[in-house]
Amino acid sequence: MLAAIPGAEAQMAWIREVCAHGVRRPGTAAGAAVADWCAARLAELGCEVTRQPVRAPASHPADARLVAWSVDDPGRRLTLDGFTIPFTTPTTGLRRHLTRLGASDSAGTAVVHRVTMTDLPVVFLDEGALGRHDPAGTFTTDVHTLPFGPTLTKVVEPVLDAGGDAMVGIVDAPWVTDRYFVPYDGVLRPIPGIWLDRTRGAALDELLDAGPVEVELTTDVTTAESVGDNLVATLPGSGDGWVVVGSHHDAPWASAVEDGSGIAQVLAQAAAWAAVPEAERPHNLCFLLTAAHMSDGAGTQEFLRSWAHVDDIVVGIHLEHVAVRAEPDGAGGLRPTRQPEVRWWFTSESGALPATVTDAVTAEGLDRSLVLGPEALGPMPPTDGGFYHPAGIPVVSLLAAPMYLFDPLDTPAMVHEPSLVPTARATARIVAASRDLPGTDPTAGAHDE
């Protein structure tokens, strides 16, 4: 089974093919084309592929513009181009007084909200980890820059709470960008919003420091229901239980890491297990690529609501992000390093499962790996795979969360190519070990813990 795992060159070819289709948000032609491509690959590998329709709200933001001028000196004027905040409402020529978030009276104004990405000392999570593989000891000093600020996807809510009529968001990231596809939770906000990069944000700050400011805002965004497909590809195995290995096929941009790399990992598992005789597969196997990740994981939620075999799932394995750690390049961009980004393996504390995952990542040399409980960062893992946990299904969910995750800089250069085969091999080891998980015995409950 391990010998049949496709090599890094083949997996990178898949990732480049996925990215070549372009921006594949829910409801886009590129998204539908990638779903068709994935379905064809899974069928070629010998899987039986069915499609599961998923309806979800989708947001399609475009360029935006803010004109700002000094009330005291109207000739002092800025024209700032940016990007419409997803899941906000469009506007043309909206004029408002400008205030900063936290001002004594922001009601009825356009509110400046600076979103600074969170720097998380890795030791903070390492202390409570169920397992780890960090032979170089990087976790004692490493700081992981997350792709979110303190409010995660709830970036507009502080402005709404302040009574603002519009949001002027500044992306305070380690690189210069306004192409920040957040929020992506499928919730429409009733105000318009624009993302500005940190350079334009600094110019706006300077104007505000000099006195009262008025602005005129124009944004462009369409929010509508999308219809996509979960791809449910199956191989029969021994026993009545099921192991699901999944990721999502939609993305904020062309997005190699998020989640071209996850697609490649799922295809690699399908290829490997298709080469194994049916009687030697530990369970029936489902290779799942879901729609509408960019709408609060609606595809995974639909799968768990309606798949006929959901009560027989022994473990849900979800694979997102085979990612490099990036650093500022000194010119406003990012460059990939040779290191992988910290790997979080959210794992249910069910029997030997944490030890199984730890052993697998160690055997395959997946350094900078942390095995975490499913509630290490909240009530469930912050991935599509997280939805297995509240459903009572044991989960193993890989997440890397590099800072560029929601930015067009997520190109094939950001995939940590040396990790592709070891990640697939580690996953195959976990699948093979599922033979000993609860649910193997048809008289036992699939979700017994």
Side-chain angles (χ1 to χ4, degrees):
M1 157 265 299
L2 294 179
I5 288 171
E9 183 177 349
Q11 293 191 48
M12 285 302 305
W14 289 334
I15 292 167
R16 292 189 181 97
E17 175 71 21
V18 166
C19 292
H21 285 84
V23 176
R24 58 183 192 278
R25 296 173 195 144
T28 61
V34 167
D36 290 343
W37 181 87
C38 291
R41 301 292 79 72
L42 288 163
E44 287 172 357
L45 293 170
C47 298
E48 180 179 342
V49 182
T50 59
R51 291 176 179 255
Q52 189 179 60
V54 178
R55 296 180 180 273
S59 187
H60 305 283
D63 290 342
R65 174 165 288 181
L66 182 78
V67 180
W69 62 91
S70 166
V71 172
D72 298 332
D73 181 8
R76 187 176 181 186
R77 178 177 294 255
L78 296 171
T79 299
L80 303 172
D81 292 326
F83 181 63
T84 303
I85 298 175
F87 290 105
T88 58
T89 57
T91 191
T92 301
L94 177 71
R95 292 195 173 200
R96 290 292 186 270
H97 183 65
L98 187 67
T99 61
R100 288 189 174 98
L101 187 66
S104 58
D105 186 7
S106 292
T109 69
V111 179
V112 177
H113 180 20
R114 181 179 295 274
V115 176
T116 301
M117 293 187 179
T118 300
D119 287 334
L120 176 69
V122 179
V123 70
F124 176 79
L125 293 177
D126 185 39
E127 291 175 352
L130 305 176
R132 64 188 55 74
H133 184 59
D134 181 37
T138 64
F139 291 164
T140 58
T141 57
D142 197 6
V143 176
H144 184 174
T145 300
L146 304 178
F148 296 112
T151 59
L152 303 178
T153 64
K154 305 298 183 184
V155 290
V156 183
E157 277 65 13
V159 174
L160 291 172
D161 293 343
D165 275 359
M167 173 171 162
V168 180
I170 300 173
V171 185
D172 192 2
W175 72 106
V176 178
T177 186
D178 59 20
R179 308 283 117 164
Y180 185 45
F181 200 88
V182 173
Y184 59 92
D185 55 8
V187 178
L188 180 63
R189 276 73 175 180
I191 62 172
I194 182 174
W195 284 124
L196 299 175
D197 65 40
R198 69 185 191 202
T199 301
R200 292 180 173 91
L204 187 62
D205 277 336
E206 184 178 347
L207 187 63
L208 264 172
D209 288 341
V213 172
E214 298 288 322
V215 297
E216 181 177 287
L217 177 63
T218 298
T219 65
D220 183 4
V221 58
T222 301
T223 302
E225 184 179 69
S226 69
V227 181
D229 288 328
N230 288 341
L231 306 177
V232 184
T234 59
L235 289 174
S238 58
D240 297 324
W242 286 85
V243 172
V244 180
V245 181
S247 192
H248 58 88
H249 59 70
D250 65 313
W253 303 95
S255 300
V257 171
E258 168 75 335
D259 217 324
S261 63
I263 291 172
Q265 287 293 299
V266 173
L267 293 177
Q269 292 303 305
W273 288 102
V276 174
E278 177 179 335
E280 296 177 23
R281 297 171 191 152
H283 296 283
N284 300 307
L285 301 175
C286 171
F287 306 102
L288 173 68
L289 290 170
T290 61
H293 170 77
M294 303 311 299
S295 292
D296 196 33
T300 303
Q301 295 190 67
E302 177 60 31
F303 173 76
L304 292 174
R305 271 194 299 268
S306 59
W307 192 48
H309 306 290
V310 70
D311 289 335
D312 299 315
I313 298 175
V314 173
V315 62
I317 302 172
H318 194 78
L319 306 170
E320 295 188 33
H321 318 152
V322 180
V324 300
R325 180 186 177 96
E327 63 185 12
D329 63 6
L334 292 175
R335 59 175 167 243
T337 69
R338 294 184 178 182
Q339 276 189 321
E341 189 52 275
V342 178
R343 319 172 210 258
W344 298 341
W345 297 82
F346 294 96
T347 303
S348 296
E349 299 177 61
S350 177
L353 196 55
T356 295
V357 174
T358 302
D359 290 347
V361 300
T362 301
E364 296 302 336
L366 288 170
D367 59 323
R368 295 170 57 74
S369 284
L370 278 176
V371 181
L372 303 170
E375 298 181 9
L377 292 179
M380 67 183 212
T383 73
D384 271 13
F387 293 106
Y388 290 95
H389 180 60
I393 300 169
V395 63
V396 176
S397 188
L398 169 63
L399 183 72
M403 57 184 165
Y404 52 80
L405 200 59
F406 307 115
D407 191 272
L409 286 181
D410 179 8
T411 65
M414 295 301 190
V415 175
H416 193 254
E417 188 170 345
S419 291
L420 287 170
V421 171
T423 301
R425 289 174 62 92
T427 302
R429 288 177 181 272
I430 296 166
V431 174
S434 70
R435 187 182 303 276
D436 299 322
L437 291 175
T440 304
D441 180 351
T443 65
H447 305 160
D448 290 350
E449 297 190 5

